[in-house]
Structures are given as C-alpha cells and as structure tokens.
Amino acid sequence: MDMDPSEGKNDLHTLSRWITGSDNIVFFGGAGVSTESGIPDFRGAGGLYTANESARGYEVSPETILSASYFRRHPYRFFAFYREKILFLSAEPNSAHFILARLESEGRMQAVVTQNIDGLHQKAGSRKVIELHGSVRRNYCMSCARRYSLDAAQAAQDAQGIPRCGCGGIIRPDVVLYGEDLSGEAIHAATQAISRAEVLIVGGTSLSVFPAAGLVDYYKGNRFIMINESSTSWDDRADLRITGRIGDVLSRADI
Ligand code: NAD
C-alpha cells in the first residue's frame, strides 16, 4: 500500500508507539470511520453535502431534511431520504472498527465515542461505545413509546413508507435530529472518558457538528492523534496528524 505523501514513516512509528504504550486510549470518531464500509459521510470528498443537487435528488439540504422540524412537517419525505441516504442495511464493519474493538478486548481502549448512528462499532465487537447521536438500530413509537428493532421498524411501514406502531403512532429512529438535544448521559460519559484519557485518537470527522465536536476540548493530555483524509480546523492542535484513510492507517500501524 502506498504511503500518503504527507505521512512520514516516523508518523506511523509514533502512532504505533503511543498506542502500544497506553492502556488508557479513547477514540473519538465520525462518519469517515464508516466510509470504508460503503456508508457515505456528509462533508468528505464523496459526501452527501458535497454531491451536487441533482445527484442528491432532493430539493432541500440534508441538514434540513434531517431536522426535527422537517421530520414533524414531512415524515413521508424524511423517511424516503432516510431509507435512501442514511440506512445502509448491509454495511459491515471495516478494519478500523475491528482494530478498535481488538484494542478494547486487550484492555487498552477505554471508550469509543462516536457521532455515527450505524451501530458498526458494536457489530465489530466494541462494547464501550458512547453513541452521541443515537442509533438507527433502536426505534420507538412516538405515541406509546414501544420499542422496535431496526428490522421490526422496517417491517412496519405503511403504504407511504412511514413506520407505524400498532397504536397508530409513528415509529422513529432513536437518533438525534438537528434541533434536538443530545442525551445528557452520553455527553457526561464522553466527557469523563475524554478528560481522563492518556491518548486521544480523533478520526474520520470534520469536527464541525456541535456540541459533539466540542467534547474534544476536554482532553488534557499531550497525545492527541488526528487521522483524517482531509484537513480540519483542529489540525494545529493535534500532537500527531496523519492524513489518510483510517482503516488503512490503523491496519498499517504496528499495534
Ligand atoms: P463529516 O461528514 O462532517 O466529516 C467526515 C470527515 O471524515 C471528513 O473530514 C472526511 O474527509 C473524513 N473521512 C472520510 N472518509 C475517511 C476515511 N476513510 N478515513 C479518514 N477520514 C475520512 O462527518 P462527521 O464529522 O461525523 O459529522 C457528520 C454527522 O453526520 C455526524 O453527526 C454523524 O452523526 C452523521 N453521519 C453519520 C453517518 C454514519 O453513521 N455512518 C454517516 C453520515 C453522517
């Protein structure tokens, strides 16, 4: 595999040394962690926000469609977009997910804090996962609160494609839409893990969605590793910055 021109051999060596030398690593990631599983991100090269309007086939921005107010007003359009652009039912974890899960099983990874809603970290075997934005795998009725698995919610679609509970209520995914609050419990757990971490690996995120991105500020150490395909406004703050695909970079590290 070719090395990225901006990545020196020493970077990979330092990455390996810092990871193998710690049993208190925390990973903070985003949509870029799952692009190697075939799920598009929002702001990366092939992301949903960067694709042109006709390719997207929708007249309003993804950010608008994925907002609480749009969902309330146009559930039919919301679910059409959700099924087409957000749900990737056959996606499988990639090497990044598997390596992070292995580090946890070896007692080195203390938490995976993710902005992703795809559940792939758990599918790869990670247990200590803090899902800041919820998960498509959990669903609930907005009227009677009955809980549904992803399969059951999919199977309960009415003629318009809106998942319906036996009580008639809409079954929605347990994800945080734009305009909704993050769970206080998830924020607390993430803050604790990040503020106590010796090594913080941030990967596959543009760090532009708040308040999630602001949690990185709680890190107090001096081993802040950033692995991303493109630059972010936080690059200068990283103690080690590696440009590349996260699954590829972690696979090549000696960890
Ligand atoms: P983002 O789309 O804003 O940024 C993704 C970043 O990852 C970009 O900087 C891109 O260059 C980089 N990237 C893409 N592929 C990469 C790879 N293989 N290796 C390393 N870097 C890579 O994503 P975000 O910061 O997570 O914010 C988007 C929001 O959208 C999040 O809140 C998340 O909930 C949601 N989202 C989730 C999924 C998912 O669950 N898989 C997918 C799309 C969006």
Side-chain angles (χ1 to χ4, degrees), residues 12-35:
L12 214 50
H13 179 70
T14 306
L15 173 74
S16 309
R17 199 161 46 82
W18 287 2
I19 291 180
T20 50
S22 179
D23 59 5
N24 185 6
I25 308 166
V26 169
F27 180 81
F28 180 96
V33 175
S34 293
T35 54

PDB file of all heavy atoms in Angstrom, residues 12-35:
ATOM      1  N   LEU A  12       3.875   7.013  11.467  1.00  0.00           N
ATOM      2  CA  LEU A  12       3.289   5.696  11.725  1.00  0.00           C
ATOM      3  C   LEU A  12       3.987   5.031  12.912  1.00  0.00           C
ATOM      4  O   LEU A  12       3.364   4.349  13.724  1.00  0.00           O
ATOM      5  CB  LEU A  12       3.432   4.835  10.458  1.00  0.00           C
ATOM      6  CG  LEU A  12       2.316   3.841  10.175  1.00  0.00           C
ATOM      7  CD1 LEU A  12       0.952   4.490  10.241  1.00  0.00           C
ATOM      8  CD2 LEU A  12       2.524   3.203   8.806  1.00  0.00           C
ATOM      9  N   HIS A  13       5.265   5.274  13.013  1.00  0.00           N
ATOM     10  CA  HIS A  13       6.049   4.727  14.122  1.00  0.00           C
ATOM     11  C   HIS A  13       5.582   5.359  15.448  1.00  0.00           C
ATOM     12  O   HIS A  13       5.350   4.660  16.438  1.00  0.00           O
ATOM     13  CB  HIS A  13       7.534   5.016  13.877  1.00  0.00           C
ATOM     14  CG  HIS A  13       8.411   4.504  14.970  1.00  0.00           C
ATOM     15  ND1 HIS A  13       8.637   3.163  15.178  1.00  0.00           N
ATOM     16  CD2 HIS A  13       9.091   5.166  15.945  1.00  0.00           C
ATOM     17  CE1 HIS A  13       9.425   3.018  16.230  1.00  0.00           C
ATOM     18  NE2 HIS A  13       9.710   4.212  16.722  1.00  0.00           N
ATOM     19  N   THR A  14       5.421   6.669  15.444  1.00  0.00           N
ATOM     20  CA  THR A  14       4.954   7.367  16.659  1.00  0.00           C
ATOM     21  C   THR A  14       3.552   6.903  17.029  1.00  0.00           C
ATOM     22  O   THR A  14       3.256   6.622  18.193  1.00  0.00           O
ATOM     23  CB  THR A  14       4.954   8.906  16.426  1.00  0.00           C
ATOM     24  OG1 THR A  14       6.250   9.283  15.987  1.00  0.00           O
ATOM     25  CG2 THR A  14       4.602   9.670  17.696  1.00  0.00           C
ATOM     26  N   LEU A  15       2.698   6.793  16.023  1.00  0.00           N
ATOM     27  CA  LEU A  15       1.322   6.311  16.260  1.00  0.00           C
ATOM     28  C   LEU A  15       1.366   4.943  16.949  1.00  0.00           C
ATOM     29  O   LEU A  15       0.699   4.723  17.970  1.00  0.00           O
ATOM     30  CB  LEU A  15       0.582   6.203  14.922  1.00  0.00           C
ATOM     31  CG  LEU A  15      -0.814   5.571  14.964  1.00  0.00           C
ATOM     32  CD1 LEU A  15      -1.818   6.541  15.570  1.00  0.00           C
ATOM     33  CD2 LEU A  15      -1.290   5.170  13.562  1.00  0.00           C
ATOM     34  N   SER A  16       2.164   4.049  16.418  1.00  0.00           N
ATOM     35  CA  SER A  16       2.259   2.691  16.964  1.00  0.00           C
ATOM     36  C   SER A  16       2.794   2.728  18.397  1.00  0.00           C
ATOM     37  O   SER A  16       2.291   2.046  19.283  1.00  0.00           O
ATOM     38  CB  SER A  16       3.189   1.831  16.102  1.00  0.00           C
ATOM     39  OG  SER A  16       2.816   1.917  14.750  1.00  0.00           O
ATOM     40  N   ARG A  17       3.795   3.547  18.616  1.00  0.00           N
ATOM     41  CA  ARG A  17       4.438   3.617  19.937  1.00  0.00           C
ATOM     42  C   ARG A  17       3.441   4.155  20.978  1.00  0.00           C
ATOM     43  O   ARG A  17       3.314   3.619  22.067  1.00  0.00           O
ATOM     44  CB  ARG A  17       5.663   4.530  19.836  1.00  0.00           C
ATOM     45  CG  ARG A  17       6.681   4.361  20.943  1.00  0.00           C
ATOM     46  CD  ARG A  17       8.045   4.937  20.536  1.00  0.00           C
ATOM     47  NE  ARG A  17       7.966   6.248  19.931  1.00  0.00           N
ATOM     48  CZ  ARG A  17       7.863   7.396  20.596  1.00  0.00           C
ATOM     49  NH1 ARG A  17       7.821   7.419  21.903  1.00  0.00           N
ATOM     50  NH2 ARG A  17       7.808   8.548  19.943  1.00  0.00           N
ATOM     51  N   TRP A  18       2.737   5.207  20.627  1.00  0.00           N
ATOM     52  CA  TRP A  18       1.793   5.809  21.579  1.00  0.00           C
ATOM     53  C   TRP A  18       0.654   4.838  21.889  1.00  0.00           C
ATOM     54  O   TRP A  18       0.197   4.736  23.016  1.00  0.00           O
ATOM     55  CB  TRP A  18       1.225   7.114  21.029  1.00  0.00           C
ATOM     56  CG  TRP A  18       2.221   8.245  21.040  1.00  0.00           C
ATOM     57  CD1 TRP A  18       3.531   8.194  21.437  1.00  0.00           C
ATOM     58  CD2 TRP A  18       1.979   9.600  20.627  1.00  0.00           C
ATOM     59  NE1 TRP A  18       4.116   9.416  21.294  1.00  0.00           N
ATOM     60  CE2 TRP A  18       3.198  10.308  20.790  1.00  0.00           C
ATOM     61  CE3 TRP A  18       0.876  10.279  20.113  1.00  0.00           C
ATOM     62  CZ2 TRP A  18       3.322  11.666  20.488  1.00  0.00           C
ATOM     63  CZ3 TRP A  18       0.993  11.633  19.808  1.00  0.00           C
ATOM     64  CH2 TRP A  18       2.205  12.313  19.992  1.00  0.00           C
ATOM     65  N   ILE A  19       0.188   4.114  20.868  1.00  0.00           N
ATOM     66  CA  ILE A  19      -0.940   3.195  21.084  1.00  0.00           C
ATOM     67  C   ILE A  19      -0.493   1.968  21.889  1.00  0.00           C
ATOM     68  O   ILE A  19      -1.159   1.577  22.851  1.00  0.00           O
ATOM     69  CB  ILE A  19      -1.589   2.777  19.739  1.00  0.00           C
ATOM     70  CG1 ILE A  19      -2.296   4.000  19.120  1.00  0.00           C
ATOM     71  CG2 ILE A  19      -2.582   1.633  19.936  1.00  0.00           C
ATOM     72  CD1 ILE A  19      -2.984   3.743  17.800  1.00  0.00           C
ATOM     73  N   THR A  20       0.632   1.405  21.521  1.00  0.00           N
ATOM     74  CA  THR A  20       1.057   0.196  22.255  1.00  0.00           C
ATOM     75  C   THR A  20       1.516   0.543  23.672  1.00  0.00           C
ATOM     76  O   THR A  20       1.493  -0.309  24.555  1.00  0.00           O
ATOM     77  CB  THR A  20       2.202  -0.547  21.532  1.00  0.00           C
ATOM     78  OG1 THR A  20       3.219   0.402  21.218  1.00  0.00           O
ATOM     79  CG2 THR A  20       1.731  -1.210  20.265  1.00  0.00           C
ATOM     80  N   GLY A  21       1.884   1.814  23.904  1.00  0.00           N
ATOM     81  CA  GLY A  21       2.392   2.199  25.219  1.00  0.00           C
ATOM     82  C   GLY A  21       1.314   2.642  26.189  1.00  0.00           C
ATOM     83  O   GLY A  21       1.619   3.087  27.297  1.00  0.00           O
ATOM     84  N   SER A  22       0.031   2.517  25.826  1.00  0.00           N
ATOM     85  CA  SER A  22      -1.004   3.029  26.724  1.00  0.00           C
ATOM     86  C   SER A  22      -2.138   2.033  26.930  1.00  0.00           C
ATOM     87  O   SER A  22      -2.521   1.296  26.017  1.00  0.00           O
ATOM     88  CB  SER A  22      -1.593   4.329  26.140  1.00  0.00           C
ATOM     89  OG  SER A  22      -2.604   4.817  26.990  1.00  0.00           O
ATOM     90  N   ASP A  23      -2.669   2.037  28.138  1.00  0.00           N
ATOM     91  CA  ASP A  23      -3.884   1.250  28.390  1.00  0.00           C
ATOM     92  C   ASP A  23      -5.048   2.197  28.713  1.00  0.00           C
ATOM     93  O   ASP A  23      -6.023   1.819  29.332  1.00  0.00           O
ATOM     94  CB  ASP A  23      -3.669   0.230  29.514  1.00  0.00           C
ATOM     95  CG  ASP A  23      -3.274   0.892  30.823  1.00  0.00           C
ATOM     96  OD1 ASP A  23      -3.254   2.139  30.884  1.00  0.00           O
ATOM     97  OD2 ASP A  23      -2.972   0.164  31.779  1.00  0.00           O
ATOM     98  N   ASN A  24      -4.880   3.442  28.302  1.00  0.00           N
ATOM     99  CA  ASN A  24      -5.956   4.414  28.514  1.00  0.00           C
ATOM    100  C   ASN A  24      -6.139   5.266  27.258  1.00  0.00           C
ATOM    101  O   ASN A  24      -5.852   6.460  27.233  1.00  0.00           O
ATOM    102  CB  ASN A  24      -5.639   5.286  29.734  1.00  0.00           C
ATOM    103  CG  ASN A  24      -6.784   6.235  30.055  1.00  0.00           C
ATOM    104  OD1 ASN A  24      -7.861   6.171  29.449  1.00  0.00           O
ATOM    105  ND2 ASN A  24      -6.548   7.143  30.993  1.00  0.00           N
ATOM    106  N   ILE A  25      -6.607   4.578  26.221  1.00  0.00           N
ATOM    107  CA  ILE A  25      -6.823   5.237  24.925  1.00  0.00           C
ATOM    108  C   ILE A  25      -8.321   5.469  24.747  1.00  0.00           C
ATOM    109  O   ILE A  25      -9.137   4.610  25.101  1.00  0.00           O
ATOM    110  CB  ILE A  25      -6.332   4.335  23.765  1.00  0.00           C
ATOM    111  CG1 ILE A  25      -4.887   3.881  24.015  1.00  0.00           C
ATOM    112  CG2 ILE A  25      -6.469   5.030  22.425  1.00  0.00           C
ATOM    113  CD1 ILE A  25      -4.457   2.727  23.113  1.00  0.00           C
ATOM    114  N   VAL A  26      -8.674   6.615  24.212  1.00  0.00           N
ATOM    115  CA  VAL A  26     -10.071   6.881  23.851  1.00  0.00           C
ATOM    116  C   VAL A  26     -10.092   7.257  22.374  1.00  0.00           C
ATOM    117  O   VAL A  26      -9.210   7.972  21.888  1.00  0.00           O
ATOM    118  CB  VAL A  26     -10.679   7.994  24.738  1.00  0.00           C
ATOM    119  CG1 VAL A  26     -12.024   8.471  24.192  1.00  0.00           C
ATOM    120  CG2 VAL A  26     -10.853   7.494  26.176  1.00  0.00           C
ATOM    121  N   PHE A  27     -11.080   6.743  21.675  1.00  0.00           N
ATOM    122  CA  PHE A  27     -11.241   7.071  20.258  1.00  0.00           C
ATOM    123  C   PHE A  27     -12.483   7.946  20.098  1.00  0.00           C
ATOM    124  O   PHE A  27     -13.533   7.652  20.679  1.00  0.00           O
ATOM    125  CB  PHE A  27     -11.407   5.794  19.418  1.00  0.00           C
ATOM    126  CG  PHE A  27     -11.579   6.080  17.956  1.00  0.00           C
ATOM    127  CD1 PHE A  27     -10.459   6.345  17.159  1.00  0.00           C
ATOM    128  CD2 PHE A  27     -12.835   6.128  17.372  1.00  0.00           C
ATOM    129  CE1 PHE A  27     -10.615   6.645  15.805  1.00  0.00           C
ATOM    130  CE2 PHE A  27     -12.990   6.426  16.018  1.00  0.00           C
ATOM    131  CZ  PHE A  27     -11.873   6.686  15.241  1.00  0.00           C
ATOM    132  N   PHE A  28     -12.344   9.011  19.331  1.00  0.00           N
ATOM    133  CA  PHE A  28     -13.488   9.877  19.028  1.00  0.00           C
ATOM    134  C   PHE A  28     -13.622   9.923  17.505  1.00  0.00           C
ATOM    135  O   PHE A  28     -12.687  10.349  16.816  1.00  0.00           O
ATOM    136  CB  PHE A  28     -13.236  11.287  19.584  1.00  0.00           C
ATOM    137  CG  PHE A  28     -14.362  12.255  19.310  1.00  0.00           C
ATOM    138  CD1 PHE A  28     -15.336  12.493  20.267  1.00  0.00           C
ATOM    139  CD2 PHE A  28     -14.450  12.928  18.096  1.00  0.00           C
ATOM    140  CE1 PHE A  28     -16.380  13.388  20.020  1.00  0.00           C
ATOM    141  CE2 PHE A  28     -15.496  13.810  17.830  1.00  0.00           C
ATOM    142  CZ  PHE A  28     -16.461  14.037  18.808  1.00  0.00           C
ATOM    143  N   GLY A  29     -14.750   9.450  16.983  1.00  0.00           N
ATOM    144  CA  GLY A  29     -14.838   9.361  15.527  1.00  0.00           C
ATOM    145  C   GLY A  29     -16.151   9.862  14.953  1.00  0.00           C
ATOM    146  O   GLY A  29     -17.099  10.198  15.670  1.00  0.00           O
ATOM    147  N   GLY A  30     -16.172   9.869  13.630  1.00  0.00           N
ATOM    148  CA  GLY A  30     -17.362  10.318  12.919  1.00  0.00           C
ATOM    149  C   GLY A  30     -17.585   9.517  11.653  1.00  0.00           C
ATOM    150  O   GLY A  30     -17.049   8.411  11.489  1.00  0.00           O
ATOM    151  N   ALA A  31     -18.349  10.121  10.756  1.00  0.00           N
ATOM    152  CA  ALA A  31     -18.810   9.422   9.560  1.00  0.00           C
ATOM    153  C   ALA A  31     -17.668   8.834   8.724  1.00  0.00           C
ATOM    154  O   ALA A  31     -17.841   7.797   8.069  1.00  0.00           O
ATOM    155  CB  ALA A  31     -19.642  10.378   8.710  1.00  0.00           C
ATOM    156  N   GLY A  32     -16.485   9.459   8.769  1.00  0.00           N
ATOM    157  CA  GLY A  32     -15.344   8.964   7.996  1.00  0.00           C
ATOM    158  C   GLY A  32     -14.895   7.570   8.417  1.00  0.00           C
ATOM    159  O   GLY A  32     -14.242   6.872   7.643  1.00  0.00           O
ATOM    160  N   VAL A  33     -15.264   7.153   9.615  1.00  0.00           N
ATOM    161  CA  VAL A  33     -14.881   5.809  10.077  1.00  0.00           C
ATOM    162  C   VAL A  33     -15.662   4.746   9.295  1.00  0.00           C
ATOM    163  O   VAL A  33     -15.206   3.615   9.143  1.00  0.00           O
ATOM    164  CB  VAL A  33     -15.131   5.665  11.607  1.00  0.00           C
ATOM    165  CG1 VAL A  33     -14.868   4.258  12.093  1.00  0.00           C
ATOM    166  CG2 VAL A  33     -14.282   6.661  12.380  1.00  0.00           C
ATOM    167  N   SER A  34     -16.819   5.127   8.782  1.00  0.00           N
ATOM    168  CA  SER A  34     -17.659   4.131   8.090  1.00  0.00           C
ATOM    169  C   SER A  34     -17.647   4.264   6.565  1.00  0.00           C
ATOM    170  O   SER A  34     -18.319   3.498   5.880  1.00  0.00           O
ATOM    171  CB  SER A  34     -19.102   4.225   8.602  1.00  0.00           C
ATOM    172  OG  SER A  34     -19.164   3.817   9.952  1.00  0.00           O
ATOM    173  N   THR A  35     -16.878   5.220   6.021  1.00  0.00           N
ATOM    174  CA  THR A  35     -16.874   5.326   4.550  1.00  0.00           C
ATOM    175  C   THR A  35     -16.223   4.083   3.930  1.00  0.00           C
ATOM    176  O   THR A  35     -16.611   3.656   2.848  1.00  0.00           O
ATOM    177  CB  THR A  35     -16.141   6.597   4.051  1.00  0.00           C
ATOM    178  OG1 THR A  35     -14.828   6.621   4.609  1.00  0.00           O
ATOM    179  CG2 THR A  35     -16.884   7.861   4.416  1.00  0.00           C
TER     180      THR A  35
END
